[in-house]
Amino acid sequence: MSEIQGRILVVDDYVLNRMQLKRSCEEQGHTVALAENGRQALEMLAAGHFDLVLLDILMPEMDGFEVLECLKSDPARRDLPVIVISALDEMDSVVRCIGMGAEDFLPKPFDPLLLRARLGTCLEKKRLRDQEVEYLQQVARVTAAAAAVESGQFTLDSLDSVAARPDALGQLGRVFQNMAREVYAREQSLKQQVQELRIQIDEAKKA
């Protein structure tokens, strides 16, 4: 199985650490952005999309605890995986960060093989979580489509993304679209018949 590649934000106030992590992540095929403190990191997270954050704990202006608190209190970003970067003598801080929602930790100085393993595990978990969220969203679309058919407001393209799936849900979406097409065609046929009948009645009255 090929390794998952992602967009990673490295947050560390020490420039040497940032550059070492950047180089190691890029060697693994990831795209990397750098932030030198927590405040800058939150600004970058608000402005762009990232798959994972490598977060130092002890930083000026805004430390790792504050960044974690902001992320985990934000519904839009609370599922973003965070790996805490720490020295071994900061284990109490690491435990605190894990309790706040960090996925894992990376000891300083970091080992490239350990970094690869940590990134691979977290990105795989995120991929599976994203797939689950997408699946539930598309199930909701099918449910909404059923209600739309009942109210006469269904549009065929509303299920295009569901019908494109290769799994059982995609098959359900395609069956639902075909059924909706048949219902629509019958409705149009009935409307046409009613219209023709009205014309015949009008003509009969004139005669």
Side-chain angles (χ1 to χ4, degrees):
M1 183 177 64
S2 60
E3 293 184 354
I4 299 173
Q5 296 177 348
R7 179 166 170 75
I8 298 173
L9 177 61
V10 174
V11 189
D12 197 311
D13 62 314
Y14 188 37
V15 62
L16 182 59
N17 285 343
R18 291 200 303 273
M19 299 312 298
Q20 287 177 335
L21 285 166
K22 180 177 187 292
R23 182 170 60 252
S24 187
C25 290
E26 288 179 340
E27 287 174 353
Q28 298 175 35
H30 303 294
T31 302
V32 182
L34 303 176
E36 61 185 32
N37 58 61
R39 195 174 306 282
Q40 183 184 18
L42 289 178
E43 292 173 354
M44 294 174 68
L45 288 166
H49 170 77
F50 293 92
D51 298 303
L52 185 144
V53 178
L54 287 172
L55 179 66
D56 189 20
I57 296 177
L58 302 179
M59 295 181 293
E61 293 193 40
M62 179 180 283
D63 61 25
F65 300 119
E66 294 173 288
V67 173
L68 261 178
E69 185 177 6
C70 289
L71 288 177
K72 298 308 175 182
S73 63
D74 182 355
R77 294 180 292 177
R78 64 187 175 196
D79 290 330
L80 178 66
V82 176
I83 297 177
V84 172
I85 308 169
S86 68
L88 291 178
D89 59 359
E90 300 170 357
M91 287 308 296
D92 289 344
S93 296
V94 170
V95 172
R96 179 181 168 187
C97 287
I98 296 296
M100 293 175 66
E103 291 281 342
D104 209 334
F105 80 97
L106 185 70
K108 294 180 181 179
F110 74 91
D111 178 272
L113 292 178
L114 183 58
L115 173 63
R116 180 185 293 271
R118 294 283 198 266
L119 293 179
T121 298
C122 286
L123 289 173
E124 173 65 13
K125 287 174 64 177
K126 182 180 185 297
R127 182 183 69 84
L128 293 175
R129 184 162 51 230
D130 290 347
Q131 287 180 344
E132 181 180 7
V133 169
E134 180 188 14
Y135 185 88
L136 293 175
Q137 289 174 341
Q138 294 193 338
V139 168
R141 287 179 186 172
V142 174
T143 303
V149 168
E150 187 175 8
S151 63
Q153 297 178 334
F154 176 73
T155 56
L156 289 174
D157 59 1
S158 65
L159 285 181
D160 283 349
S161 62
V162 180
R165 295 177 64 98
D167 57 8
L169 182 60
Q171 183 179 7
L172 176 61
R174 293 189 292 274
V175 169
F176 201 99
Q177 280 188 321
N178 290 335
M179 180 183 67
R181 287 191 184 97
E182 292 176 2
V183 170
Y184 179 79
R186 286 198 297 270
E187 288 179 347
Q188 294 303 306
S189 177
L190 286 172
K191 288 179 180 179
Q192 181 65 29
Q193 292 176 25
V194 169
Q195 182 65 24
E196 291 175 354
L197 182 58
R198 286 175 177 170
I199 292 174
Q200 292 175 6
I201 292 174
D202 290 341
E203 290 178 348
K205 287 180 180 179
K206 291 178 182 179

